[in-house]
Amino acid sequence: MTDFRDKTAVISGGAEGIGFSIAQALGAQGMNIVLGDIDPAQLDKAVASLTEQGVPALGVVMDVTRPEQWQQLGQRSVDRFGSIHMLVNNAGVGGGTGTVEQIDERDWRWVLDVNLMGVIYGTQTLIPLIKQHGEGGWLINVASMAGMAGVPYAGAYTATKTAVVGMSESWFAELQLHNIQVSVLCPAFVKTRINLSERNRQSDYQRQQQETEQDVAMAARMQAIVDNGLAVDVVGQRVVEAVGQGELYIFTHPNYRQVVQQRYQAIDEAFARAAYSPLLASVVDEEIVGFT
Ligand SMILES: NC(=O)c1ccc[n+]([C@@H]2O[C@H](COP(=O)([O-])OP(=O)(O)OC[C@H]3O[C@@H](n4cnc5c(N)ncnc54)[C@H](O)[C@@H]3O)[C@@H](O)[C@H]2O)c1
């Protein structure tokens, strides 16, 4: 069994939702918990709740799109708990929905900066601190089923989550050499406040366009789907279970397996057709390079 006891996990966006669920599950395993979050009021509540449960916890107000705030988060974590063993890149926003021509430049920037650059900054800042003590550890990136197959009218969100899956696959092989286990969590719908992500939109990313009737209708539809989603408490426990089993891909919705199967079948069939193209005859039997 994996021994998480007395080790320290840093969780971005940990004040509520999936991040807080992971914090509670890891805290129950005896880990020290550091929560980084943009929402000070929710953060205070989360730290108080963990402390009440007997979990050593620290909250740091920070924005994942700001590398210098990741530096401060790392420093405060080390000052309080001595070293860091796990990073959970969880903070994310559900913005940027609509048709391809509707998604505003600011929406793209907001979603890319939080969901993608936030993961990059966090990993670049904290992985050196995990490597430093030589005991190994864990990197858990929170992607989505949207990282496994394209979701219509959610191009920006899908782009970031697909990137997070891809980066996790790259880092899995790289960080294995340092005894750092990489996992990527890919949930379908979970009952959280993700559909109210506007509450966390920083002033730099305010929209240039007015909300349309179509935006409002889509938001209402999303609200109903998320409200019907998996209970959030299960997600943290599932993460502990799957990380303990050394899983790279962590799924919470086995019923979505067919979505991935359909995608891979379409890709596989496209490869088969490519193999019959007279244009490509010279590469069919060539050795594969760059993927190990
Ligand atoms: N809820 C779902 O259905 C679902 C499905 C798949 C993936 N996810 C992913 O799970 C992760 C967590 O989402 P959730 O559903 O718990 O949503 P949530 O809105 O309930 O929680 C998100 C947390 O991130 C924080 N946050 C937002 N922007 C931030 C920033 N710039 N810097 C620091 N903290 C920030 C929020 O304050 C909040 O505490 C996200 O990456 C999301 O994309 C959610």
Side-chain angles (χ1 to χ4, degrees):
M1 215 178 112
T2 309
D3 194 1
F4 297 106
R5 232 170 321 129
D6 298 327
K7 296 187 171 138
T8 301
V10 176
I11 306 170
S12 72
E16 65 176 287
I18 291 174
F20 185 60
S21 170
I22 296 173
Q24 284 183 298
L26 293 172
Q29 296 290 313
M31 288 192 93
N32 307 313
I33 302 294
V34 182
L35 306 176
D37 205 285
I38 202 168
D39 181 337
Q42 279 298 132
L43 192 59
D44 282 348
K45 278 196 228 165
V47 171
S49 167
L50 288 172
T51 307
E52 213 172 283
Q53 293 166 46
V55 177
L58 168 71
V60 178
V61 178
M62 55 91 64
D63 179 345
V64 294
T65 68
R66 308 283 293 273
E68 73 285 2
Q69 296 187 12
W70 274 106
Q71 295 281 356
Q72 288 155 12
L73 180 65
Q75 191 56 55
R76 299 262 319 264
S77 306
V78 171
D79 290 347
R80 169 75 187 267
F81 293 117
S83 52
I84 299 170
H85 302 86
M86 181 188 284
L87 166 62
V88 184
N89 279 312
N90 162 76
V93 290
T97 49
T99 62
V100 62
E101 63 275 29
Q102 268 172 345
I103 302 178
D104 188 276
E105 153 96 28
R106 297 281 171 96
D107 282 338
W108 271 102
R109 292 276 163 228
W110 179 44
V111 177
L112 287 171
D113 283 354
V114 177
N115 294 7
L116 176 55
M117 294 313 297
V119 174
I120 294 169
Y121 295 142
T123 305
Q124 284 191 325
T125 311
L126 296 197
I127 285 297
L129 299 180
I130 300 179
K131 281 184 181 172
Q132 215 169 52
H133 53 65
E135 293 166 21
W138 302 268
L139 169 64
I140 303 170
N141 293 323
V142 180
S144 166
M145 272 306 297
M148 290 279 142
V151 179
Y153 307 106
Y157 187 77
T158 301
T160 62
K161 297 303 183 179
T162 306
V164 171
V165 172
M167 293 189 308
S168 304
E169 289 170 342
S170 295
W171 294 337
F172 178 84
E174 281 179 45
L175 293 175
Q176 216 168 26
L177 304 174
H178 301 271
N179 196 23
I180 299 172
Q181 182 184 315
V182 177
S183 300
V184 59
L185 174 65
C186 298
F189 295 101
V190 180
K191 193 172 176 186
T192 68
R193 292 208 295 159
I194 187 81
N195 55 318
L196 301 175
S197 293
E198 285 297 325
R199 73 193 190 282
N200 296 312
R201 193 191 280 246
Q202 307 93 315
S203 53
D204 296 354
Y205 301 99
Q206 288 309 314
R207 290 185 71 157
Q208 288 158 329
Q209 293 171 0
Q210 288 298 316
E211 208 174 43
T212 63
E213 268 179 37
Q214 203 181 353
D215 293 335
V216 175
M218 198 174 293
R221 197 170 148 256
M222 283 304 295
Q223 173 84 48
I225 295 173
V226 168
D227 282 350
N228 212 23
L230 184 68
V232 71
D233 290 351
V234 177
V235 179
Q237 292 170 37
R238 171 66 187 137
V239 167
V240 167
E241 177 185 67
V243 169
Q245 292 164 346
E247 295 272 18
L248 165 57
Y249 307 102
I250 305 180
F251 293 110
T252 53
H253 291 71
N255 51 326
Y256 277 69
R257 186 176 181 181
Q258 58 186 294
V259 172
V260 177
Q261 283 175 333
Q262 281 161 9
R263 179 172 193 255
Y264 285 118
Q265 191 181 337
I267 292 170
D268 196 48
E269 287 168 5
F271 265 113
R273 287 190 295 275
Y276 286 108
S277 166
L279 299 170
L280 308 174
S282 66
V283 289
V284 166
D285 295 319
E286 260 185 21
E287 192 191 340
I288 296 167
V289 287
F291 280 81
T292 50

